[in-house]
Amino acid sequence: MKYLTLIIASLVLTINIYAQKNETLASTPPMGWNSWNNFECDRVNENVIREIADAMVSSGMKEAGYKYINIDDCWQIGRDSDGYIIVDSDKFPHGIKYLADYIHSRGLKFGIYSDAGTHTCAGRPGSKGYEEIDAQTYAEWGVDYLKYDWCNTDGQETVESYTLMRDALYKAGRPIVFSICEWGITEPWLWAGDVGHLWRTTYDITDRWDGTRWGNQLGWTEILEKQVGLEVYAGPGRWNDPDMLEVGNDGLTINESRAHFSMWCILAAPLICGNDLRNMPAEIKEILCNPELIAINQDELGKQGFKIYDEGNFEIWQKPLKNGDIALSFLNLENRDKSFNINWGKIRIKGLTGNYSVKNLWGNIMMGSTKDELSINIPQRDVLMLRLIKQD
Ligand code: GLA
């Protein structure tokens, strides 16, 4: 009997040791860059990744808080007879560890991509059946972040498949941010908080203001509307991921990029850039590096913002902040300018008590206090971002 108890106790202990997520990671939404939105499969390679890492440092983005450089699909080509993943040597001639070392030498962190099924979405080898070998390989290479996709998973169950990789990562012993990418199909906000650090809530984003492309790629305002109600599931170490940024990519104007970035900040979304950092116009750099906006995204309270007002083509969103301040965004979805009179009592801001001074975060301008009404004008397809700073 004594032995049986001992065996059961050691079994439970073993399961508990491995069945865990690295809890201390991503206490604020991860910030970085990923290759997919701009370089997709064909144009990603070692030079691009090295140059992007250099640009992240020289552009000031690292200083602004961005740290992950993540390779998405198409770095892998096969498996050897022992099951180890083989790197595509045409694209990455010096292997992945070499790149990870380079990125670390620049003071940044390194991320990679795989898939829970047999193949990735671009048809490269997936991790199914090789979870532990892959997790160990990533740990040996110095990977800090894994995005784990859901293509080619016929007959697989999401919670089980993602838990398997979570445990493999934990066992491999290196702290690795785990980014779940099952596109929201099994409502990951209900189960993924104990499995990963962030989870995609929708199908892929594309560099459009609205509408869809190729059937299921969505413009960013379509994705925004799908975040309504999900705010209750997010918090430090567990984030809804409305997909990577399209700021600075061809299909968005500067105003549209500014609005997109602002809304991702209000949502406490991961800020994973998807543009070519090597050729960034000054206006795009200013958007991505705005310290006031980043402070809202990275606020330690870790609250995801929510919609408080909707006129159809004009919306107001609120995000509570750590010291009692409140971030507000006024989003103009129309193709013409919008004028609006803010009557602070009427727009139903949650938790608004006492007096606040009002700061416009694009332009850094003080705009009086909540004692007075405020008339605002927002250009077409743009946003006004305010921080209400608690006075008493
Ligand atoms: C899926 C993901 C994308 C990207 C591609 C790569 O579509 O949702 O973000 O990773 O696969 O093939």
Side-chain angles (χ1 to χ4, degrees):
M1 187 60 194
K2 207 167 134 197
Y3 287 117
L4 189 66
T5 318
L6 251 173
I7 290 168
I8 293 173
S10 61
L11 265 177
V12 169
L13 200 68
T14 316
I15 290 165
N16 274 338
I17 286 170
Y18 295 138
Q20 284 182 50
K21 156 178 145 179
N22 280 296
E23 288 292 349
T24 53
L25 297 171
S27 57
T28 60
M31 293 176 66
W33 178 90
N34 171 293
S35 53
W36 187 255
N37 284 358
N38 194 300
F39 295 89
E40 294 189 338
C41 194
D42 289 350
R43 291 185 305 121
V44 65
N45 60 47
E46 180 181 295
N47 275 342
V48 165
I49 301 293
R50 275 183 66 122
E51 287 171 14
I52 292 281
D54 293 343
M56 188 173 271
V57 178
S58 63
S59 63
M61 287 186 65
K62 177 186 163 200
E63 215 180 320
Y66 295 90
K67 61 180 177 192
Y68 293 100
I69 299 280
N70 298 348
I71 310 179
D72 206 275
D73 209 343
C74 299
W75 60 268
Q76 63 288 69
I77 196 94
R79 288 203 182 266
D80 69 15
S81 53
D82 294 322
Y84 287 91
I85 196 82
I86 301 173
V87 176
D88 182 336
S89 58
D90 287 343
K91 286 176 174 292
F92 297 95
H94 296 93
I96 299 296
K97 175 144 184 16
Y98 162 87
L99 258 189
D101 288 349
Y102 182 75
I103 287 165
H104 290 145
S105 78
R106 310 263 23 211
L108 298 166
K109 289 188 177 284
F110 173 65
I112 210 163
Y113 162 101
S114 190
D115 188 289
T118 55
H119 292 87
T120 69
C121 297
R124 303 297 179 109
S127 289
K128 188 180 177 207
Y130 300 94
E131 292 84 359
E132 289 210 354
I133 290 190
D134 284 354
Q136 275 161 21
T137 305
Y138 303 152
E140 278 160 27
W141 285 345
V143 167
D144 304 298
Y145 186 116
L146 172 68
K147 172 175 167 184
Y148 205 50
D149 217 338
W150 190 243
C151 279
N152 304 298
T153 51
D154 278 358
Q156 287 178 237
E157 213 263 318
T158 49
V159 183
E160 201 182 307
S161 302
Y162 281 98
T163 304
L164 202 60
M165 188 44 114
R166 173 199 70 178
D167 294 348
L169 291 173
Y170 194 78
K171 190 174 168 190
R174 185 178 169 88
I176 296 179
V177 172
F178 191 30
S179 156
I180 291 172
C181 180
E182 58 76 92
W183 320 308
I185 51 180
T186 58
E187 302 185 317
W189 43 90
L190 297 178
W191 56 264
D194 292 333
V195 181
H197 303 94
L198 59 156
W199 51 84
R200 282 273 297 279
T201 55
T202 66
Y203 285 117
D204 292 7
I205 196 168
T206 189
D207 61 339
R208 289 175 63 139
W209 171 261
D210 57 8
T212 56
R213 182 150 54 195
W214 319 125
N216 59 9
Q217 290 190 359
L218 305 164
W220 75 261
T221 60
E222 312 283 340
I223 290 186
L224 177 69
E225 296 308 320
K226 294 180 191 293
Q227 309 313 306
V228 173
L230 300 188
E231 62 274 4
V232 295
Y233 302 104
R238 41 181 71 204
W239 308 104
N240 288 304
D241 174 10
D243 208 355
M244 304 172 294
L245 293 162
E246 292 285 3
V247 172
N249 284 336
D250 286 347
L252 297 179
T253 65
I254 295 291
N255 296 37
E256 291 171 354
S257 274
R258 180 170 38 242
H260 172 28
F261 188 72
S262 305
M263 295 313 300
W264 261 229
C265 287
I266 280 279
L267 287 174
L271 297 180
I272 306 294
C273 303
N275 57 323
D276 188 346
L277 305 186
R278 301 169 305 177
N279 309 302
M280 214 175 1
E283 302 103 300
I284 293 298
K285 192 163 80 178
E286 266 170 40
I287 292 174
L288 293 174
C289 293
N290 182 321
E292 306 267 9
L293 267 286
I294 291 174
I296 283 171
N297 176 267
Q298 294 289 301
D299 184 80
E300 282 169 26
L301 194 58
K303 290 272 184 214
Q304 175 171 326
F306 45 89
K307 197 196 279 188
I308 54 171
Y309 181 89
D310 194 339
E311 271 183 15
N313 273 330
F314 176 66
E315 302 179 356
I316 307 175
W317 293 62
Q318 159 180 6
K319 182 182 195 294
L321 303 172
K322 191 179 152 202
N323 55 357
D325 290 4
I326 296 170
L328 291 175
S329 63
F330 299 78
L331 176 65
N332 179 11
L333 294 155
E334 280 212 70
N335 288 325
R336 58 191 145 117
D337 293 8
K338 166 82 183 173
S339 297
F340 186 76
N341 195 40
I342 308 176
N343 176 325
W344 299 105
K346 269 197 182 154
I347 58 172
R348 293 175 187 275
I349 301 169
K350 257 199 186 165
L352 188 84
T353 49
N355 186 36
Y356 301 74
S357 55
V358 180
K359 188 173 193 182
N360 179 346
L361 302 182
W362 290 114
N364 233 338
I365 304 159
M366 295 310 293
M367 297 181 95
S369 82
T370 50
K371 284 185 182 145
D372 306 308
E373 289 195 6
L374 181 64
S375 291
I376 57 173
N377 186 69
I378 307 151
Q380 59 172 324
R381 296 189 169 192
D382 206 337
V383 75
L384 177 84
M385 286 287 294
L386 299 181
R387 184 176 184 123
L388 306 188
I389 303 166
K390 188 105 179 91
Q391 297 301 309
D392 47 54

Short mmCIF file of all heavy atoms in Angstrom, two decimals, residues 23-67:
data_model
loop_
_atom_site.label_atom_id
_atom_site.label_comp_id
_atom_site.label_asym_id
_atom_site.label_seq_id
_atom_site.Cartn_x
_atom_site.Cartn_y
_atom_site.Cartn_z
N GLU A 23 4.76 31.03 -16.21
CA GLU A 23 3.81 32.06 -15.78
C GLU A 23 4.36 33.48 -15.81
O GLU A 23 3.62 34.43 -15.91
CB GLU A 23 3.32 31.76 -14.36
CG GLU A 23 2.37 30.58 -14.26
CD GLU A 23 1.02 30.81 -14.93
OE1 GLU A 23 0.73 31.96 -15.28
OE2 GLU A 23 0.28 29.83 -15.11
N THR A 24 5.68 33.62 -15.69
CA THR A 24 6.18 34.98 -15.49
C THR A 24 6.38 35.76 -16.79
O THR A 24 6.79 36.91 -16.77
CB THR A 24 7.53 34.93 -14.77
OG1 THR A 24 8.37 34.04 -15.50
CG2 THR A 24 7.38 34.44 -13.35
N LEU A 25 6.08 35.14 -17.93
CA LEU A 25 6.33 35.82 -19.21
C LEU A 25 5.12 36.66 -19.62
O LEU A 25 3.99 36.37 -19.24
CB LEU A 25 6.60 34.78 -20.30
CG LEU A 25 7.84 33.92 -20.08
CD1 LEU A 25 7.88 32.80 -21.09
CD2 LEU A 25 9.09 34.78 -20.20
N ALA A 26 5.39 37.67 -20.44
CA ALA A 26 4.31 38.48 -21.04
C ALA A 26 3.38 39.09 -20.00
O ALA A 26 2.16 39.04 -20.14
CB ALA A 26 3.52 37.65 -22.06
N SER A 27 3.95 39.70 -18.96
CA SER A 27 3.07 40.36 -17.99
C SER A 27 2.44 41.62 -18.59
O SER A 27 1.42 42.10 -18.12
CB SER A 27 3.84 40.68 -16.71
OG SER A 27 4.94 41.48 -17.03
N THR A 28 3.06 42.15 -19.65
CA THR A 28 2.39 43.16 -20.49
C THR A 28 2.39 42.59 -21.92
O THR A 28 3.15 41.68 -22.21
CB THR A 28 3.12 44.53 -20.45
OG1 THR A 28 4.45 44.34 -20.94
CG2 THR A 28 3.17 45.11 -19.05
N PRO A 29 1.55 43.14 -22.82
CA PRO A 29 1.46 42.53 -24.17
C PRO A 29 2.83 42.52 -24.87
O PRO A 29 3.55 43.52 -24.86
CB PRO A 29 0.48 43.46 -24.90
CG PRO A 29 -0.33 44.09 -23.80
CD PRO A 29 0.60 44.25 -22.64
N PRO A 30 3.21 41.36 -25.47
CA PRO A 30 4.51 41.29 -26.16
C PRO A 30 4.62 42.33 -27.27
O PRO A 30 3.64 42.63 -27.95
CB PRO A 30 4.51 39.88 -26.76
CG PRO A 30 3.47 39.12 -26.04
CD PRO A 30 2.48 40.11 -25.53
N MET A 31 5.84 42.88 -27.42
CA MET A 31 6.10 43.86 -28.48
C MET A 31 7.26 43.35 -29.35
O MET A 31 8.28 42.92 -28.82
CB MET A 31 6.51 45.20 -27.87
CG MET A 31 5.40 45.89 -27.09
SD MET A 31 6.00 47.41 -26.30
CE MET A 31 6.36 48.45 -27.71
N GLY A 32 7.09 43.42 -30.66
CA GLY A 32 8.16 42.97 -31.53
C GLY A 32 7.80 43.08 -32.99
O GLY A 32 7.06 43.98 -33.39
N TRP A 33 8.33 42.17 -33.77
CA TRP A 33 8.15 42.17 -35.23
C TRP A 33 8.05 40.72 -35.69
O TRP A 33 8.68 39.83 -35.12
CB TRP A 33 9.35 42.84 -35.89
CG TRP A 33 9.30 42.86 -37.39
CD1 TRP A 33 8.75 43.85 -38.17
CD2 TRP A 33 9.83 41.88 -38.29
NE1 TRP A 33 8.90 43.52 -39.50
CE2 TRP A 33 9.55 42.31 -39.59
CE3 TRP A 33 10.50 40.66 -38.11
CZ2 TRP A 33 9.93 41.58 -40.72
CZ3 TRP A 33 10.87 39.93 -39.23
CH2 TRP A 33 10.60 40.40 -40.52
N ASN A 34 7.27 40.49 -36.75
CA ASN A 34 7.14 39.15 -37.34
C ASN A 34 7.20 39.28 -38.86
O ASN A 34 6.72 40.25 -39.44
CB ASN A 34 5.81 38.53 -36.88
CG ASN A 34 5.47 37.23 -37.60
OD1 ASN A 34 5.20 37.22 -38.80
ND2 ASN A 34 5.46 36.13 -36.87
N SER A 35 7.76 38.26 -39.51
CA SER A 35 8.03 38.35 -40.95
C SER A 35 6.80 38.20 -41.85
O SER A 35 6.84 38.59 -43.01
CB SER A 35 9.06 37.27 -41.34
OG SER A 35 8.63 35.99 -40.90
N TRP A 36 5.70 37.63 -41.34
CA TRP A 36 4.65 37.17 -42.24
C TRP A 36 3.94 38.29 -43.02
O TRP A 36 3.81 38.22 -44.24
CB TRP A 36 3.60 36.33 -41.49
CG TRP A 36 2.62 35.74 -42.46
CD1 TRP A 36 1.33 36.15 -42.68
CD2 TRP A 36 2.88 34.69 -43.40
NE1 TRP A 36 0.77 35.40 -43.68
CE2 TRP A 36 1.70 34.50 -44.14
CE3 TRP A 36 3.99 33.89 -43.68
CZ2 TRP A 36 1.60 33.54 -45.15
CZ3 TRP A 36 3.89 32.93 -44.68
CH2 TRP A 36 2.71 32.77 -45.40
N ASN A 37 3.46 39.32 -42.34
CA ASN A 37 2.56 40.28 -43.00
C ASN A 37 3.20 40.96 -44.21
O ASN A 37 2.52 41.34 -45.15
CB ASN A 37 2.08 41.35 -42.01
CG ASN A 37 1.00 40.80 -41.08
OD1 ASN A 37 0.60 39.64 -41.22
ND2 ASN A 37 0.55 41.61 -40.14
N ASN A 38 4.51 41.10 -44.21
CA ASN A 38 5.16 41.75 -45.34
C ASN A 38 5.94 40.77 -46.22
O ASN A 38 5.86 40.81 -47.44
CB ASN A 38 6.09 42.86 -44.84
CG ASN A 38 6.51 43.79 -45.95
OD1 ASN A 38 7.14 43.36 -46.93
ND2 ASN A 38 6.17 45.07 -45.85
N PHE A 39 6.68 39.86 -45.61
CA PHE A 39 7.62 39.03 -46.38
C PHE A 39 7.06 37.66 -46.75
O PHE A 39 7.63 36.97 -47.60
CB PHE A 39 8.94 38.89 -45.60
CG PHE A 39 9.64 40.20 -45.45
CD1 PHE A 39 9.36 41.04 -44.37
CD2 PHE A 39 10.53 40.64 -46.41
CE1 PHE A 39 9.98 42.27 -44.24
CE2 PHE A 39 11.17 41.87 -46.29
CZ PHE A 39 10.88 42.69 -45.20
N GLU A 40 5.97 37.27 -46.10
CA GLU A 40 5.31 35.98 -46.33
C GLU A 40 6.34 34.86 -46.48
O GLU A 40 7.34 34.83 -45.77
CB GLU A 40 4.38 36.09 -47.53
CG GLU A 40 3.23 37.05 -47.23
CD GLU A 40 2.14 37.06 -48.27
OE1 GLU A 40 2.38 36.67 -49.42
OE2 GLU A 40 1.02 37.45 -47.91
N CYS A 41 6.06 33.92 -47.40
CA CYS A 41 6.97 32.77 -47.51
C CYS A 41 8.17 33.09 -48.42
O CYS A 41 9.32 32.82 -48.07
CB CYS A 41 6.19 31.59 -48.07
SG CYS A 41 7.02 30.01 -47.89
N ASP A 42 7.88 33.68 -49.56
CA ASP A 42 8.91 33.78 -50.60
C ASP A 42 10.08 34.68 -50.24
O ASP A 42 11.20 34.42 -50.64
CB ASP A 42 8.28 34.30 -51.90
CG ASP A 42 7.40 33.24 -52.52
OD1 ASP A 42 7.46 32.09 -52.04
OD2 ASP A 42 6.63 33.57 -53.45
N ARG A 43 9.80 35.77 -49.51
CA ARG A 43 10.86 36.77 -49.34
C ARG A 43 11.55 36.72 -47.98
O ARG A 43 12.40 37.56 -47.69
CB ARG A 43 10.30 38.16 -49.63
CG ARG A 43 9.95 38.33 -51.13
CD ARG A 43 9.51 39.74 -51.47
NE ARG A 43 8.41 40.16 -50.65
CZ ARG A 43 8.43 41.22 -49.84
NH1 ARG A 43 9.49 41.97 -49.76
NH2 ARG A 43 7.37 41.52 -49.14
N VAL A 44 11.18 35.75 -47.13
CA VAL A 44 11.85 35.71 -45.82
C VAL A 44 13.18 34.95 -45.95
O VAL A 44 13.25 33.92 -46.61
CB VAL A 44 10.94 35.07 -44.73
CG1 VAL A 44 10.65 33.60 -45.00
CG2 VAL A 44 11.54 35.25 -43.36
N ASN A 45 14.24 35.48 -45.37
CA ASN A 45 15.54 34.79 -45.36
C ASN A 45 16.46 35.42 -44.31
O ASN A 45 16.09 36.41 -43.66
CB ASN A 45 16.19 34.82 -46.76
CG ASN A 45 16.44 36.24 -47.25
OD1 ASN A 45 16.97 37.06 -46.50
ND2 ASN A 45 16.06 36.53 -48.49
N GLU A 46 17.62 34.83 -44.19
CA GLU A 46 18.57 35.25 -43.15
C GLU A 46 18.93 36.74 -43.22
O GLU A 46 18.95 37.44 -42.21
CB GLU A 46 19.82 34.38 -43.30
CG GLU A 46 20.91 34.67 -42.31
CD GLU A 46 22.11 33.78 -42.57
OE1 GLU A 46 21.98 32.55 -42.42
OE2 GLU A 46 23.17 34.32 -42.94
N ASN A 47 19.20 37.20 -44.46
CA ASN A 47 19.58 38.62 -44.59
C ASN A 47 18.49 39.55 -44.12
O ASN A 47 18.75 40.53 -43.42
CB ASN A 47 19.91 38.95 -46.05
CG ASN A 47 21.33 38.61 -46.35
OD1 ASN A 47 22.14 38.43 -45.43
ND2 ASN A 47 21.64 38.48 -47.65
N VAL A 48 17.26 39.23 -44.55
CA VAL A 48 16.13 40.08 -44.15
C VAL A 48 16.05 40.14 -42.63
O VAL A 48 15.97 41.22 -42.04
CB VAL A 48 14.79 39.53 -44.74
CG1 VAL A 48 13.60 40.16 -44.05
CG2 VAL A 48 14.73 39.75 -46.23
N ILE A 49 16.13 38.97 -41.99
CA ILE A 49 15.95 38.94 -40.53
C ILE A 49 17.09 39.71 -39.83
O ILE A 49 16.86 40.50 -38.91
CB ILE A 49 15.89 37.48 -40.01
CG1 ILE A 49 14.72 36.73 -40.68
CG2 ILE A 49 15.78 37.43 -38.50
CD1 ILE A 49 13.33 37.21 -40.32
N ARG A 50 18.30 39.52 -40.31
CA ARG A 50 19.42 40.27 -39.72
C ARG A 50 19.23 41.78 -39.88
O ARG A 50 19.45 42.56 -38.95
CB ARG A 50 20.74 39.88 -40.41
CG ARG A 50 21.39 38.64 -39.84
CD ARG A 50 22.71 38.41 -40.56
NE ARG A 50 23.65 39.50 -40.25
CZ ARG A 50 24.84 39.32 -39.70
NH1 ARG A 50 25.24 38.10 -39.41
NH2 ARG A 50 25.63 40.33 -39.46
N GLU A 51 18.86 42.16 -41.12
CA GLU A 51 18.70 43.60 -41.37
C GLU A 51 17.54 44.21 -40.59
O GLU A 51 17.61 45.34 -40.13
CB GLU A 51 18.51 43.84 -42.88
CG GLU A 51 19.80 43.62 -43.65
CD GLU A 51 19.61 43.62 -45.17
OE1 GLU A 51 18.54 44.03 -45.65
OE2 GLU A 51 20.55 43.20 -45.87
N ILE A 52 16.49 43.41 -40.41
CA ILE A 52 15.36 43.91 -39.61
C ILE A 52 15.80 44.09 -38.16
O ILE A 52 15.45 45.09 -37.50
CB ILE A 52 14.15 42.93 -39.69
CG1 ILE A 52 13.56 42.92 -41.10
CG2 ILE A 52 13.10 43.26 -38.63
CD1 ILE A 52 12.66 44.06 -41.48
N ALA A 53 16.59 43.14 -37.65
CA ALA A 53 17.09 43.28 -36.27
C ALA A 53 17.93 44.55 -36.14
O ALA A 53 17.77 45.33 -35.19
CB ALA A 53 17.90 42.05 -35.88
N ASP A 54 18.78 44.78 -37.14
CA ASP A 54 19.60 46.00 -37.12
C ASP A 54 18.71 47.25 -37.14
O ASP A 54 18.93 48.20 -36.40
CB ASP A 54 20.54 46.05 -38.34
CG ASP A 54 21.60 44.95 -38.27
OD1 ASP A 54 21.81 44.39 -37.19
OD2 ASP A 54 22.20 44.66 -39.34
N ALA A 55 17.67 47.20 -38.01
CA ALA A 55 16.79 48.36 -38.14
C ALA A 55 15.99 48.58 -36.87
O ALA A 55 15.70 49.73 -36.49
CB ALA A 55 15.85 48.17 -39.33
N MET A 56 15.66 47.51 -36.18
CA MET A 56 14.90 47.69 -34.94
C MET A 56 15.73 48.47 -33.92
O MET A 56 15.21 49.30 -33.17
CB MET A 56 14.47 46.34 -34.36
CG MET A 56 13.53 46.53 -33.19
SD MET A 56 12.83 45.01 -32.60
CE MET A 56 11.38 44.89 -33.59
N VAL A 57 17.03 48.22 -33.93
CA VAL A 57 17.90 48.94 -33.01
C VAL A 57 18.12 50.38 -33.51
O VAL A 57 17.87 51.35 -32.79
CB VAL A 57 19.25 48.21 -32.83
CG1 VAL A 57 20.17 48.99 -31.91
CG2 VAL A 57 19.01 46.80 -32.29
N SER A 58 18.53 50.52 -34.79
CA SER A 58 18.93 51.86 -35.27
C SER A 58 17.74 52.82 -35.40
O SER A 58 17.91 54.03 -35.29
CB SER A 58 19.66 51.74 -36.61
OG SER A 58 18.80 51.21 -37.58
N SER A 59 16.54 52.30 -35.61
CA SER A 59 15.38 53.18 -35.76
C SER A 59 14.87 53.71 -34.42
O SER A 59 14.01 54.59 -34.39
CB SER A 59 14.23 52.41 -36.42
OG SER A 59 13.83 51.36 -35.56
N GLY A 60 15.36 53.14 -33.32
CA GLY A 60 14.86 53.57 -32.01
C GLY A 60 13.70 52.70 -31.52
O GLY A 60 13.16 52.91 -30.44
N MET A 61 13.31 51.70 -32.33
CA MET A 61 12.18 50.88 -31.91
C MET A 61 12.51 50.02 -30.69
O MET A 61 11.67 49.80 -29.83
CB MET A 61 11.70 50.00 -33.06
CG MET A 61 10.96 50.84 -34.09
SD MET A 61 10.22 49.85 -35.36
CE MET A 61 9.00 48.92 -34.44
N LYS A 62 13.76 49.56 -30.65
CA LYS A 62 14.15 48.76 -29.47
C LYS A 62 14.00 49.63 -28.21
O LYS A 62 13.44 49.19 -27.20
CB LYS A 62 15.60 48.28 -29.63
CG LYS A 62 16.09 47.51 -28.43
CD LYS A 62 17.56 47.17 -28.54
CE LYS A 62 18.09 46.77 -27.18
NZ LYS A 62 19.55 46.87 -27.11
N GLU A 63 14.49 50.84 -28.32
CA GLU A 63 14.41 51.74 -27.18
C GLU A 63 12.96 52.05 -26.79
O GLU A 63 12.63 52.24 -25.62
CB GLU A 63 15.13 53.04 -27.52
CG GLU A 63 15.83 53.64 -26.34
CD GLU A 63 16.53 54.92 -26.75
OE1 GLU A 63 17.11 54.95 -27.86
OE2 GLU A 63 16.46 55.88 -25.98
N ALA A 64 12.09 52.05 -27.81
CA ALA A 64 10.67 52.33 -27.54
C ALA A 64 9.98 51.14 -26.86
O ALA A 64 8.86 51.27 -26.39
CB ALA A 64 9.95 52.69 -28.84
N GLY A 65 10.63 49.97 -26.85
CA GLY A 65 10.06 48.83 -26.13
C GLY A 65 9.91 47.56 -26.93
O GLY A 65 9.58 46.51 -26.39
N TYR A 66 10.14 47.62 -28.25
CA TYR A 66 9.99 46.40 -29.07
C TYR A 66 11.18 45.49 -28.83
O TYR A 66 12.32 45.97 -28.78
CB TYR A 66 9.92 46.78 -30.56
CG TYR A 66 8.68 47.59 -30.88
CD1 TYR A 66 8.69 48.98 -30.82
CD2 TYR A 66 7.48 46.95 -31.22
CE1 TYR A 66 7.55 49.73 -31.09
CE2 TYR A 66 6.34 47.69 -31.50
CZ TYR A 66 6.38 49.07 -31.43
OH TYR A 66 5.25 49.80 -31.70
N LYS A 67 10.91 44.17 -28.70
CA LYS A 67 12.07 43.31 -28.43
C LYS A 67 12.11 42.00 -29.20
O LYS A 67 13.18 41.44 -29.40
CB LYS A 67 12.25 43.07 -26.94
CG LYS A 67 11.11 42.39 -26.24
CD LYS A 67 11.46 42.23 -24.76
CE LYS A 67 10.30 41.60 -24.00
NZ LYS A 67 10.45 41.67 -22.58
#
